[in-house]
Amino acid sequence: MTWTLILPELVLALGGLGLLVAGVVPKRVMHFPIAMGTLAALLAAAALTIAQPDGVAFSGLYVADAFSRFGKLLVLAGAALGIILAIDFNERSGLARFEFPLLLLFATVGMMVMVSANDLMTLYVGLELMSLALYVVAAFDRDNERSAEAGLKYFVLGALASGLLLYGASLVYGFAGSTNFDQIARALSTPESASTGLVVGVVFVVAGLCFKISAVPFHMWTPDVYEGAPTPVTAFFAGAPKIAAVVLLVRVLAGPFGELAAQWQQVIVLVSALSMILGAFAAIGQTNVKRLMAYSSIANIGYALMGLAVATDAGLRGLLIYMAIYLAMTLGSFAVLISMRRDGRAVERIEDLAGLGRTDPMMALWMAIFMFSMAGVPPMAGFFSKLYVFLPAVEAGFWELAIIGVLTSVVGAYYYLRIVKVMYFDASAGAFDARPMGLSLVLNVTGMFTLLFILFPAPLIAAAQSAIASILE
Amino acid sequence: MFVGAVFFPLLGATLAGFFGRWLGDRASQWVTVLCMALAAVCGTSAFIQVALGHAPAVIEIVTFIDVAGFEVNWALRYDTLSVVMVAMVTFISTLIHLYSVGYMSHDQTTPRFFAYLSLFTFMMLMLVTADNLVQLFFGWEGVGLASYLLIGYWYEKESANRAAMKAFIVNRVGDVFFMLGLALTYWTFGTIEFATMFASIDQHLGDTILGMRSLEVIGVLLFLGACGKSAQLGLHTWLPDAMEGPTPVSALIHAATMVTAGVFLVARMSPIFEQAPVALTIVTIVGASTALFAATIGCVQNDIKRIIAYSTCSQLGYMFFAAGVGAYQGAIFHLFTHAFFKALLFLGAGSVIHAMSDEQDIRKMGGIWKKIPATYAVMWVGSLALAGVPFFAGYYSKDFVLEAAYASHSVAGMYAFICGCIAAFLTAFYSWRLIILTFHGAPRADHHTMEHVHESPWTMLVPLVLLAIGAMAAGAIFVEFFVGHEWEAFWNGAIVNGAANHIMHDVHEVPGWVPLAPTVIGIAGIALAYALYMLAPQIPGQLAARFHGVYLFLLNKWYFDELYDRIFVRPARRLAYTLWKVGDARIIDGMPNGAASLVLEGTRGAVRIQSGRVASYAFSMIIGLVAFITIFLLGATR
């Protein structure tokens, strides 16, 4: 029976349905218990994922391997931390509805399906499951115009992206004769079989996925949605879905379309370079921290894609390491942003961080660590994440990409370090409200990871190595 | 003992320099004096043991540099040559430290002054005890630094800063040649250690570089380096300006010790110079020319310290041409006696300046000899010694130097002899011009100043008296050792005279009139000065008016400063200004500034794209898609 392979997704989905019932039936506010229940479900799914054997299920629709496990664990970690970040914020902002954690849970199910997709159909189902849930949470603060606008924009553009993806999938099916990744790979094993239609189809698929990871030029929604959505939602957007989509992109390009590498590499190189440049330059002009983080995430995706553009063993490994470290740094930074609340109101301008070094030295220190890490200053984890993608790029001869990466890092350092400067050297704008425990937990976990990665890099590198080995065999 | 002589001054410098604030002015003054006194005791006993007891020594301290086959040890080389310098430097420096206690008593930052002074002494000792050229160069640069700091000690004075920079920069010009010489030495010998270098000279006699004999080139380069430090013709311009420093500094650095480093270098490298006759000829001619040239300028200067400075320049010329004709021992002997009487003259001048409320122009002095008899007496002693009047220190050494020049029987030697004789005449003339204008005649200072004329405190008089004794006796006592019958035992191989160089013997066989000549000439010079300034004071003015061109030429120091200003300083400044305005401000600063404004431009553009309109977002997606497909198709059909 191959259905046991999908046990993690199954447990998560069924748990979600159970929690839904549990949320609806009682007459009290069930936000906190449901959130806890969601976390428990995520934990169970993570445990099952670790125990998951390799294999293919449902006639090749679904695959479980080291790569999918790596991706799923990152996704689950990102989702769990994202939910923890949201609990307190929602309660203080009047968003404490039990649907919120559940929506995130269903989005997570979708991501897990994406990560394990071995067929264009599975891919689309997972992607849409995730996306639909995310459209809703983007507009979760429905009485807030900006939140509603963010949800709508995301939905409209997301629909366009989905359309592109589906159209591409149909072209691929038409020219390759199958939607199954293994079949497509077999069909493409001879170079002359790469017909124009197929190539166009691949581009459409890539474009659809690039939208999800907000890579330039499909990034336009990102700043608006990041700014408009409630901050925990933004934090969630910046974390787990990015991981899932990047992992999926890697699987699609390195797997079935691996034979076309010479062609799609050019596109990825371009996307990577554009993302790095736009992310670095546009962020400088921002005054809103969330917009800044949006451009920061665009730039980060650019760096990560450098690993995919190189398309070597080491490059892809670097990409996975990059995403793991990116997840920690981003969620840690957002923990700080979410705690930016003064007199009960959330504030989100960069100046609002002024004087944090005196009013909350601990949090300022963590934030400084995240910012230094994002800027790529050793010995923080961010330095190594960049190292692991720059090095393969140089080794594989992608000089121009590495040089752009280094230069944009310099530009990026400006706005990361500006935050440090504002925190430590500007006159205080008053202390923030007391920080809830959940945020401190996320801060400490991600901060420790960022700070101590230099001491224990081996487990992550080994895991990424075996994950890459499982798709490149 | 050997180590103490060198390192006590460093201890004093460290204490006064870093802890002067806590020690207080008086304590840091006396602590440096005490350290110097200890060094002097060590230095003197080292002199007795090494020079008189014939027991040279080398003391290794640490390995200084050790890279890829190039090893430099930090070692103290005590042979007669260095021990003469050590004893002289520590002794004079001690006296000058003591003198400074009185002279600098009104100064605000005395610990700093004493720290510099002690640091200088340490560096000078490092230079003379060097075991290799690198260590010597370390000391060489160290004394240059200390000299810079001390000339510019009164840094609020614009002129002092200028003088300090001038001294440093002119010295750098010489240093470039020194460094080239150093490099070429290593290139030729594969070592820079004196002992191994000198031992292997025979194997390198025929070596050439750029078609010239290496040893000659090394000799010329090192001599050019020495020219910078010892203010020889061409690179002498910094020395008169260096008189901006406090007078004890002028006495110690710019008369007795540092400026003689060049002479010391030539003597130290005597084994190489002995194999480089062309270099020696150059040394002779430059030295002789400097001796004459500086003496002519000294005759018309009006600043008491500048007169003595030009006199120093001139006497250094004597030392160089002595070395140039092969009589290194004579050069060092003159260096040795000169240190006493020139330090004496400077300190005496300092005492005069002190008495005259910081007036330095001898035209505004006069008629004060009764008020400061002790200073007057020591100035007489110093001048007598300088003029080479018999039985004073200068008589023995100057006589020997001139005899050596005559005895060399070469054209250059004869040129040096003639220049030296004329310079001796001028020396005597300007020395007595100085004495008469300063001490005799009607007072030309204002009433207020004259009332304040007073004898200096004991801390200044004691060094003066001791130096006066030295200026009287140092020649007579040491002449036998340095250049007399015991010279071979005394020098004990520290200075090498080549196989063909018999000058040390020939000196004693010159015609009878030659030894007498300097004395007669000197006395004639004194007589002329007495006649012009004492008996007929109106004549000098008439002469100056009659020969106005010559007078101005001399007064303006042969227009060397103006010439250098025109040739080097102004073009350099213009170049520097251009580099600053264009190279630095526009290009180097422009690149980061331009990059930054480019970034801002880019940011503005990137932000403008973000219009907030869904339609334009979707449009950009479609455009991107089309672009990708284009790339893909082009790639696919390639």
Side-chain angles (χ1 to χ4, degrees):
Chain A
M1 285 292 280
T2 54
W3 64 269
T4 51
L5 263 187
I6 61 158
L7 220 46
E9 287 86 349
L10 214 51
V11 165
L12 204 53
L14 291 177
L17 292 173
L19 286 167
L20 192 56
V21 174
V24 174
V25 174
K27 290 288 173 223
R28 343 183 244 106
V29 176
M30 290 298 285
H31 175 252
F32 187 75
I34 295 296
M36 286 299 128
T38 310
L39 286 178
L42 290 173
L43 204 61
L48 288 169
T49 304
I50 293 171
Q52 195 181 34
D54 287 357
V56 178
F58 302 112
S59 325
L61 285 175
Y62 179 98
V63 66
D65 51 17
F67 185 74
S68 74
R69 282 195 294 279
F70 185 93
K72 279 178 193 173
L73 285 176
L74 280 188
V75 162
L76 288 168
L81 292 175
I83 290 171
I84 295 174
L85 286 179
I87 296 172
D88 180 76
F89 182 95
N90 285 353
E91 278 169 9
R92 294 201 202 183
S93 308
L95 300 175
R97 291 188 289 271
F98 72 89
E99 291 92 339
F100 186 84
L102 285 176
L103 282 168
L104 296 188
L105 183 145
F106 287 119
T108 310
V109 176
M111 293 177 215
M112 291 176 76
V113 172
M114 281 160 71
V115 169
S116 267
N118 197 35
D119 189 291
L120 288 173
M121 297 319 292
T122 330
L123 181 159
Y124 183 72
V125 169
L127 192 70
E128 281 306 290
L129 180 52
M130 172 187 87
S131 299
L132 286 170
L134 292 185
Y135 300 147
V136 177
V137 287
F140 201 71
D141 191 1
R142 61 189 176 201
D143 298 330
N144 182 327
E145 262 179 38
R146 284 159 72 215
S147 179
E149 180 192 339
L152 192 63
K153 269 185 185 165
Y154 191 28
F155 177 68
V156 170
L157 294 172
L160 178 61
S162 288
L164 296 178
L165 183 73
L166 267 185
Y167 183 59
S170 71
L171 281 175
V172 170
Y173 175 68
F175 284 92
S178 171
T179 56
N180 185 276
F181 290 174
D182 302 329
Q183 307 274 358
I184 296 171
R186 218 164 294 132
L188 287 176
S189 57
T190 47
E192 60 271 20
S193 58
S195 61
T196 307
L198 186 65
V199 165
V200 172
V202 172
V203 176
F204 273 80
V205 171
V206 168
L209 291 177
C210 279
F211 174 82
K212 293 295 170 195
I213 60 173
S214 59
V216 178
F218 309 103
H219 68 287
M220 302 294 272
W221 59 278
T222 319
D224 292 6
V225 173
Y226 271 40
E227 188 188 359
T231 314
V233 174
T234 314
F236 189 83
F237 276 19
K242 287 266 164 70
I243 308 275
V246 165
V247 166
L248 181 59
L249 188 63
V250 171
R251 189 189 283 284
V252 170
L253 289 183
F257 301 121
E259 295 295 330
L260 295 178
Q263 278 102 15
W264 58 252
Q265 260 179 329
Q266 301 170 39
V267 171
I268 298 296
V269 165
L270 192 65
V271 169
S272 166
L274 286 175
S275 299
M276 289 190 283
I277 293 169
L278 185 109
F281 281 79
I284 287 181
Q286 304 305 327
T287 53
N288 184 297
V289 191
K290 281 156 77 182
R291 273 188 101 83
L292 181 91
M293 290 305 289
Y295 285 110
S296 160
S297 81
I298 293 172
N300 273 306
I301 285 299
Y303 294 119
L305 287 184
M306 197 189 287
L308 180 59
V310 173
T312 60
D313 197 11
L316 295 176
R317 186 189 68 181
L319 182 150
L320 290 189
I321 295 170
Y322 194 100
M323 289 316 292
I325 292 173
Y326 161 78
L327 183 70
M329 295 189 303
T330 303
L331 289 176
S333 313
F334 269 105
V336 175
L337 303 194
I338 290 170
S339 61
M340 286 172 65
R341 183 181 283 279
R342 196 170 281 141
D343 305 327
R345 280 190 56 244
V347 289
E348 44 194 46
R349 284 175 316 143
I350 291 174
E351 303 91 274
D352 292 318
L353 281 167
L356 193 66
R358 281 178 294 282
T359 55
D360 191 348
M362 198 59 212
M363 189 158 81
L365 182 65
W366 283 130
M367 187 64 172
I369 288 172
F370 294 131
M371 290 299 118
F372 278 119
S373 181
M374 293 249 199
V377 177
M380 312 301 173
F383 166 74
F384 293 96
S385 63
K386 286 204 170 74
L387 179 70
Y388 282 118
V389 291
F390 285 10
L391 205 58
V394 172
E395 278 167 357
F398 287 80
W399 285 101
E400 60 292 331
L401 213 50
I403 289 170
I404 291 174
V406 170
L407 291 180
T408 53
S409 291
V410 174
V411 177
Y414 167 76
Y415 57 81
Y416 293 129
L417 297 186
R418 182 160 64 124
I419 291 183
V420 176
K421 176 243 167 197
V422 167
M423 288 195 303
Y424 282 98
F425 298 109
D426 286 5
S428 173
F432 291 138
D433 296 354
R435 178 156 35 102
M437 213 187 63
L439 291 184
S440 300
L441 177 77
V442 176
L443 261 185
N444 287 316
V445 169
T446 54
M448 283 301 190
F449 177 84
T450 309
L451 195 57
L452 300 181
F453 176 77
I454 181 174
L455 299 179
F456 312 104
L460 182 62
I461 296 173
Q465 184 69 55
S466 61
I468 291 305
S470 73
I471 58 161
L472 283 184
E473 75 228 287
Chain B
M1 180 180 72
F2 292 130
V3 176
V6 175
F7 283 92
F8 272 123
L10 181 64
L11 178 66
T14 314
L15 287 175
F18 291 114
F19 306 105
R21 246 170 238 267
W22 289 281
L23 289 172
D25 286 4
R26 286 196 69 76
S28 38
Q29 283 171 15
W30 288 107
V31 92
T32 49
V33 173
L34 181 70
C35 284
M36 276 316 304
L38 288 171
V41 170
C42 291
T44 313
S45 42
F47 178 76
I48 293 168
Q49 183 179 329
V50 174
L52 305 181
H54 314 305
V58 174
I59 298 103
E60 301 246 335
I61 299 178
V62 287
T63 302
F64 186 34
I65 301 171
D66 184 5
V67 282
F70 179 73
E71 196 184 317
V72 179
N73 280 319
W74 199 9
L76 304 180
R77 179 187 170 99
Y78 274 94
D79 57 12
T80 304
L81 178 59
S82 55
V83 90
V84 163
M85 298 294 289
V86 168
M88 186 271 282
V89 168
T90 51
F91 180 70
I92 303 242
S93 180
T94 306
L95 293 182
I96 287 173
H97 271 73
L98 185 61
Y99 179 90
S100 304
V101 172
Y103 190 83
M104 301 298 284
S105 57
H106 303 306
D107 198 76
Q108 300 296 318
T109 54
T110 40
R112 183 164 66 93
F113 180 78
F114 280 86
Y116 288 168
L117 216 52
S118 284
L119 175 70
F120 165 78
T121 313
F122 167 70
M123 287 300 183
M124 187 70 202
L125 292 168
M126 215 70 250
L127 193 165
V128 297
T129 57
D131 177 49
N132 53 62
L133 270 179
V134 167
Q135 194 184 334
L136 195 150
F137 187 63
F138 168 73
W140 187 270
E141 293 295 286
V143 292
L145 168 71
S147 156
Y148 166 79
L149 291 172
L150 283 166
I151 296 170
Y153 175 71
W154 285 314
Y155 54 80
E156 323 83 59
K157 269 168 67 182
E158 172 73 21
S159 58
N161 278 328
R162 281 177 176 279
M165 279 204 279
K166 186 170 177 184
F168 200 77
I169 292 167
V170 175
N171 266 299
R172 298 304 303 175
V173 176
D175 292 345
V176 170
F177 294 110
F178 189 114
M179 282 186 271
L180 288 174
L182 183 67
L184 184 58
T185 310
Y186 182 66
W187 176 264
T188 308
F189 291 97
T191 177
I192 37 106
E193 216 168 314
F194 292 134
T196 37
M197 198 159 86
F198 297 157
S200 65
I201 276 187
D202 289 342
Q203 301 152 29
H204 297 287
L205 288 178
D207 288 11
T208 55
I209 178 131
L210 301 173
M212 290 168 285
R213 285 189 55 224
S214 295
L215 294 181
E216 295 278 15
V217 180
I218 291 173
V220 171
L221 287 172
L222 290 182
F223 171 64
L224 287 174
C227 275
K229 194 84 25 200
S230 294
Q232 290 303 287
L233 193 61
L235 294 177
H236 66 282
T237 50
W238 64 273
L239 185 59
D241 288 13
M243 299 303 132
E244 287 290 343
T247 307
V249 171
S250 311
L252 178 61
I253 299 184
H254 307 116
T257 54
M258 185 186 84
V259 291
T260 60
V263 181
F264 169 81
L265 176 68
V266 174
R268 173 55 87 205
M269 302 303 282
S270 58
I272 287 183
F273 277 98
E274 279 300 275
Q275 306 299 337
V278 177
L280 275 185
T281 308
I282 294 174
V283 173
T284 311
I285 290 172
V286 172
S289 307
T290 309
L292 180 60
F293 150 81
T296 58
I297 298 177
C299 290
V300 296
Q301 294 297 308
N302 294 316
D303 184 312
I304 186 167
K305 283 173 75 182
R306 277 177 183 258
I307 297 173
I308 308 178
Y310 277 107
S311 145
T312 304
C313 206
S314 163
Q315 297 304 311
L316 288 167
Y318 277 89
M319 297 173 207
F320 271 109
F321 75 67
V325 297
Y328 309 99
Q329 291 87 344
I332 298 295
F333 186 38
H334 194 54
L335 186 163
F336 181 74
T337 58
H338 172 258
F340 286 98
F341 60 74
K342 192 48 64 68
L344 175 64
L345 281 172
F346 262 117
L347 296 188
S351 184
V352 170
I353 295 166
H354 198 70
M356 297 294 295
S357 312
D358 293 333
E359 180 55 63
Q360 299 199 8
D361 192 334
I362 55 173
R363 287 171 301 186
K364 296 180 184 162
M365 297 180 184
I368 54 171
W369 67 276
K370 277 184 187 150
K371 294 193 176 185
I372 45 172
T375 306
Y376 179 58
V378 297
M379 287 296 279
W380 261 89
V381 174
S383 300
L384 286 169
L386 173 62
V389 172
F391 313 118
F392 286 90
Y395 162 73
Y396 296 97
S397 54
K398 196 182 269 188
D399 245 21
F400 182 84
V401 165
L402 287 171
E403 284 166 30
Y406 184 85
S408 72
H409 298 302
S410 62
V411 177
M414 210 31 97
Y415 172 72
F417 178 72
I418 293 166
C419 284
C421 284
I422 301 172
F425 175 77
L426 295 173
T427 306
F429 173 76
Y430 65 66
S431 296
W432 263 265
R433 172 174 174 265
L434 187 151
I435 285 187
I436 292 165
L437 284 177
T438 307
F439 293 101
H440 293 279
R444 292 180 296 277
D446 59 53
H447 183 65
H448 185 69
T449 312
M450 288 306 290
E451 268 185 355
H452 279 84
V453 173
H454 57 282
E455 192 57 273
S456 300
W458 70 268
T459 47
M460 289 165 70
L461 288 181
V462 168
L464 285 173
V465 171
L466 288 175
L467 285 170
I469 294 170
M472 284 191 275
I477 295 172
F478 290 105
V479 64
E480 287 298 306
F481 293 111
F482 277 82
V483 293
H485 294 101
E486 294 184 44
W487 71 272
E488 275 173 315
F490 178 77
W491 289 105
N492 199 13
I495 291 175
V496 174
N497 296 97
N501 183 351
H502 304 300
I503 194 132
M504 294 301 288
H505 298 285
D506 294 350
V507 164
H508 302 293
E509 285 150 24
V510 291
W513 62 271
V514 175
L516 277 176
T519 311
V520 174
I521 289 169
I523 291 172
I526 297 173
L528 180 65
Y530 190 78
L532 285 184
Y533 290 94
M534 209 64 176
L535 302 178
Q538 70 283 7
I539 293 181
Q542 289 169 357
L543 281 176
R546 186 96 169 72
F547 302 102
H548 192 64
V550 177
Y551 176 73
L552 273 187
F553 184 64
L554 295 179
L555 188 66
N556 287 313
K557 304 159 277 188
W558 292 33
Y559 293 105
F560 260 99
D561 279 329
E562 286 72 11
L563 195 67
Y564 284 0
D565 189 55
R566 198 68 54 79
I567 300 177
F568 300 114
V569 179
R570 275 193 230 162
R573 286 180 70 98
R574 221 170 299 139
L575 179 68
Y577 185 82
T578 316
L579 287 178
W580 166 45
K581 278 294 179 197
V582 178
D584 195 66
R586 206 169 299 163
I587 297 175
I588 295 179
D589 284 359
M591 278 194 282
N593 289 346
S597 54
L598 268 184
V599 167
L600 279 183
E601 283 292 309
T603 299
R604 240 167 266 142
V607 172
R608 211 175 301 127
I609 299 172
Q610 200 72 29
S611 61
R613 286 166 52 207
V614 178
S616 63
Y617 290 3
F619 181 69
S620 95
M621 284 171 69
I622 301 297
I623 291 290
L625 186 72
V626 170
F628 284 4
I629 289 176
T630 315
I631 294 174
F632 237 68
L633 289 180
L634 289 178
T637 54
R638 193 170 51 192

